[in-house]
Amino acid sequence: MFVKKDLRKIPEILAAKDENEDNDVSNITELRLARRQGEFKGTVSVLCDPLYSKQLSNLTKLSLYDCGLNDLSNLGSFLGEHSRLEELNLGQNHFSVLPPDFALLGDSLKVLWLDDCNLKGTLPECLFQLTELQSLRLPGNEINDIGVGQSNDDNSDDDAPPGLSALTKLEVLCLDCNKIESIPKDLKLPRLRSLMIRQNSLREIDDDAFEGFPKLKVLHLSSNNLERMPKSILSSCHSLEELYLNGNSLVRLPRGFGESLKYLKHLNLSNNLIKRLHLDFIDRFGAPDAAGKCSKSDECNVLIGGNPVTKKNTNTDSFANYLSDDDNQ
């Protein structure tokens, strides 16, 4: 859908009078101010003017996408006064810090885009106070540590700083294209439905790392350096419908695919180093053909091409050639 850009300057937009509202401009609920580098000049000062307090008192959606922002000072304080903002897009900007006052948006903010900015290191602590968040997207940064901290329901240490586990309403978390090396085993996100950590630096994930995601439906771990699949994906993610582990260094899969993940619809294991498969995997999905597709199940699309196991000739090789050593014993 093509959206025509409002060519008016920001002061003109916010000062506009609505004849149908008796000159009252406090009915503005959505602002799309993307790609206005020349007006913002690196900061949000032009927007956070006290003169516009009334105009933005009912604002629920705001896009500042690709505005060349280096500094977000006062944005949280100014918009947090109204506590109505639900969606905020700050993607494709240059800032490397989220100021502490960003936490003032915690009473209302539900959707936050921070894609392709310059955030580095650990996730900013102010994010953990946005406890109404349902969707958090931070792809294309340089984050290397997710951070766990203390959830709102954890009373074990009242002095412990809050962490990502405090976002108990979070349903979507995207951390693609960062530098994350591990997923904390104590991370608990009870409502999380979609987790995306593609193109990071994951090499090994604790077997218990996914026990805190009971409602997870979509899991993207492709294009990392994983050498094995965490067992808790099978044992704890009972609602999983889509699992993407392609583009890793998996040598083998854990036993349990035959009985676990009953709702699975898409499974991509392409381009790994898998040489053998467990019998329960083949019983459920079938042996892979030369193209790397397992076609036995009508309910789940399974791709396993680009692995040593698919280089076997299914017309001449023994069925046993697909089995892991312990299945042949």
Side-chain angles (χ1 to χ4, degrees):
M1 180 179 69
F2 177 76
V3 178
K4 184 178 180 180
K5 182 178 179 180
D6 193 332
L7 299 179
R8 295 175 298 171
K9 300 298 183 182
I10 294 174
E12 294 179 77
I13 295 174
L14 296 180
K17 296 182 179 181
D18 190 334
E19 297 178 357
N20 295 325
E21 293 296 333
D22 194 25
N23 294 338
D24 183 3
V25 294
S26 64
N27 63 328
I28 296 177
T29 59
E30 181 174 358
L31 274 179
R32 298 181 181 181
L33 302 176
R35 299 184 175 90
R36 292 174 179 261
Q37 296 92 336
E39 289 188 77
F40 281 98
K41 299 179 180 179
T43 75
V44 292
S45 299
V46 66
L47 180 65
C48 299
D49 190 317
L51 292 175
Y52 305 139
S53 180
K54 181 179 179 181
Q55 287 89 328
L56 302 179
S57 60
N58 290 312
L59 189 66
T60 59
K61 298 180 181 180
L62 173 63
S63 175
L64 301 179
Y65 180 84
D66 193 16
C67 285
L69 299 175
N70 299 308
D71 187 356
L72 298 180
S73 295
N74 298 322
L75 182 65
S77 299
F78 183 71
L79 297 177
E81 294 178 1
H82 312 303
S83 299
R84 294 181 183 229
L85 193 68
E86 296 181 357
E87 296 186 20
L88 177 59
N89 190 341
L90 292 170
Q92 198 69 42
N93 281 291
H94 309 312
F95 56 84
S96 58
V97 175
L98 290 182
D101 69 349
F102 209 75
L104 296 175
L105 300 174
D107 289 340
S108 61
L109 199 63
K110 296 179 180 179
V111 180
L112 177 59
W113 285 272
L114 294 168
D115 48 301
D116 298 307
C117 297
N118 287 323
L119 299 174
K120 302 178 181 180
T122 305
L123 284 174
E125 288 190 11
C126 60
L127 291 179
F128 306 147
Q129 299 180 56
L130 304 178
T131 53
E132 295 296 316
L133 271 185
Q134 298 175 9
S135 178
L136 176 59
R137 298 176 183 270
L138 302 103
N141 285 278
E142 296 186 30
I143 297 165
N144 58 25
D145 185 6
I146 296 178
V148 180
Q150 177 185 1
S151 70
N152 290 339
D153 297 327
D154 186 358
N155 297 319
S156 59
D157 185 356
D158 292 337
D159 295 328
L164 193 58
S165 293
L167 306 185
T168 57
K169 296 182 180 181
L170 199 63
E171 297 182 3
V172 177
L173 176 59
C174 181
L175 294 162
D176 292 342
C177 303
N178 278 280
K179 297 182 178 181
I180 296 169
E181 299 178 355
S182 64
I183 300 176
K185 65 179 181 179
D186 296 325
L187 182 60
K188 296 179 181 180
L189 296 170
R191 296 190 186 182
L192 194 68
R193 296 179 181 274
S194 180
L195 176 60
M196 293 158 277
I197 314 184
R198 293 168 286 202
Q199 297 186 45
N200 275 271
S201 302
L202 294 172
R203 182 174 297 277
E204 184 173 359
I205 301 177
D206 191 277
D207 276 335
D208 301 330
F210 292 92
E211 291 184 353
F213 312 138
K215 294 187 177 182
L216 197 64
K217 290 183 178 292
V218 179
L219 177 57
H220 286 272
L221 295 173
S222 56
S223 301
N224 280 284
N225 301 306
L226 291 173
E227 298 179 356
R228 64 184 183 89
M229 174 181 159
K231 294 180 180 179
S232 56
I233 293 179
L234 294 179
S235 62
S236 300
C237 300
H238 303 297
S239 300
L240 204 62
E241 296 180 359
E242 300 180 27
L243 175 57
Y244 301 90
L245 286 162
N246 48 299
N248 280 285
S249 301
L250 301 176
V251 176
R252 62 187 299 170
L253 302 174
R255 188 189 301 274
F257 269 99
E259 300 178 354
S260 305
L261 306 184
K262 294 298 185 180
Y263 300 102
L264 201 61
K265 298 178 181 178
H266 298 282
L267 174 61
N268 194 336
L269 299 165
S270 302
N271 300 315
N272 279 282
L273 303 174
I274 301 170
K275 299 179 180 180
R276 305 275 178 167
L277 299 171
H278 287 295
L279 181 58
D280 69 331
F281 183 97
I282 295 176
D283 282 345
R284 178 178 178 183
F285 302 118
D289 58 24
K293 186 171 183 178
C294 302
S295 304
K296 183 177 180 179
S297 173
D298 294 330
E299 299 176 352
C300 184
N301 181 35
V302 180
L303 301 177
I304 196 171
N307 284 279
V309 69
T310 61
K311 296 180 181 180
K312 302 178 183 298
N313 189 324
T314 58
N315 295 321
T316 59
D317 281 8
S318 167
F319 183 75
N321 285 334
Y322 292 102
L323 301 181
S324 293
D325 294 337
D326 50 357
D327 284 321
N328 281 318
Q329 293 177 356

